[in-house]
Amino acid sequence: PQFQVAERALYFWNNEYVMSLIEEHSRAIMPIMFPALYLISKEHWNQTIIALVYNVLKTFMEMNNQLFDDLTLSFKAERQKEKRKEAQREEAWKKVQRRAIEASTLISNCTSNG
């Protein structure tokens, strides 16, 4: 199962050498890893994976609290922007559907009268 792959990958964060490399390059690694970890922490179904991800996020926070806060704010702002875009897309499709129905009704009326 896929969760076992994720679980094994998350155990790398328990390795001291790996952690020293991540800490040394945290400014490059955290922005790449943060969005996926944050989403997993909120949406994954497996509690073990969630617990491991929380540990990684906690480690990130302890490594560089300011960067962690910046990434959190940036991620949440980006998610809000995505939600607004999705709402706009849905509204645009509703307009298209309404106009299609109106056009279909108009054509039906014209063909039945003509």
Side-chain angles (χ1 to χ4, degrees):
Q2 296 295 338
F3 80 91
Q4 289 175 330
V5 174
E7 187 176 21
R8 298 274 184 202
L10 287 164
Y11 281 128
F12 273 105
W13 296 87
N14 294 332
N15 181 295
E16 273 186 49
Y17 179 68
V18 171
M19 287 308 299
S20 69
L21 291 174
I22 290 171
E23 189 164 7
E24 186 177 328
H25 302 284
S26 64
R27 289 209 160 274
I29 293 172
M30 284 177 69
I32 295 168
M33 297 294 299
F34 183 85
L37 292 169
Y38 191 89
L39 278 176
I40 291 168
S41 75
K42 300 296 181 192
E43 299 176 0
H44 204 279
W45 59 271
N46 186 287
Q47 291 302 312
T48 302
I49 299 300
I50 293 171
L52 290 169
V53 167
Y54 276 138
N55 287 337
V56 172
L57 289 171
K58 181 179 176 221
T59 301
F60 271 171
M61 189 169 43
E62 291 168 353
M63 263 184 216
N64 190 332
N65 194 39
Q66 183 59 50
L67 179 57
F68 183 87
D69 289 345
D70 292 346
L71 291 170
T72 301
L73 289 173
S74 174
F75 180 81
K76 288 180 178 180
E78 189 63 33
R79 291 283 287 182
Q80 288 300 317
K81 193 163 84 172
E82 287 173 13
K83 287 179 183 180
R84 282 192 300 275
K85 281 185 180 179
E86 180 63 29
Q88 289 171 344
R89 258 192 306 274
E90 285 180 27
E91 188 55 40
W93 275 112
K94 286 178 185 177
K95 282 182 184 178
V96 168
Q97 289 173 331
R98 283 193 300 269
R99 288 183 181 166
I101 291 169
E102 291 169 4
S104 175
T105 304
L106 182 61
I107 291 170
S108 291
N109 289 343
C110 288
T111 56
S112 62
N113 290 338

